Amino acid sequence: QVQLVAAGGGSVQTGGSLRLSCAGSGYTARTYCMAWFRQAPGKTRARVARTDSDGTTSYADSVKGRFTISEDNDKDVLYLQMNSLKPEDTAMYYCAAAPRWIVPLKSTDFTYWGQGTQVTVSS
């Protein structure tokens, strides 16, 4: 059974940094696509960053140049390094996984979800 446990959220001021982590189990990392999503109150869940098992990464325009997604496949941990944080980055952040062959892009494509970790950025 696939399990994802997200951690690392918190409260920071504008310009600060946080690193989120997502510990996975029950799957073979190299056959899965991983992603981070976020959802602010009253808004739909949106993909922030995505990484495929071949190392390909993609980012939402709003976070390009500030966020970096990475994986430690030996430890089955997914990371999201977030720098130069802005108040509009405030949201609940979720990690997600899906078998690579699905070519998951939107939230409904992802099969497995972590519990979410809150990020709050104050001005």
Side-chain angles (χ1 to χ4, degrees):
Q1 182 177 358
V2 176
Q3 289 189 324
L4 302 173
V5 179
S11 297
V12 297
Q13 292 188 325
T14 297
S17 297
L18 285 172
R19 188 175 80 157
L20 306 183
S21 63
C22 177
S25 62
Y27 65 98
T28 302
R30 289 175 176 80
T31 65
Y32 272 67
C33 177
M34 306 294 293
W36 287 98
F37 286 78
R38 67 186 180 187
Q39 187 167 18
K43 295 189 177 181
T44 57
R45 190 170 296 189
R47 193 177 80 231
V48 173
R50 176 184 182 274
T51 182
D52 209 336
S53 54
D54 63 357
T56 304
T57 59
S58 62
Y59 298 91
D61 288 342
S62 59
V63 306
K64 280 181 182 177
R66 300 188 298 122
F67 290 12
T68 303
I69 188 171
S70 62
E71 284 185 282
D72 183 335
N73 286 331
D74 292 335
K75 297 181 180 178
D76 290 339
V77 181
L78 177 72
Y79 298 101
L80 185 68
Q81 178 66 44
M82 305 185 295
N83 298 327
S84 302
L85 283 161
K86 304 175 181 180
E88 51 263 45
D89 295 318
T90 295
M92 185 71 77
Y93 283 70
Y94 300 89
C95 54
R100 187 182 182 192
W101 63 267
I102 295 177
V103 193
L105 295 175
K106 55 188 184 298
S107 61
T108 52
D109 295 334
F110 284 83
T111 315
Y112 305 102
W113 292 85
Q115 83 284 11
T117 184
Q118 178 68 39
V119 171
T120 302
V121 185
S122 58
S123 57

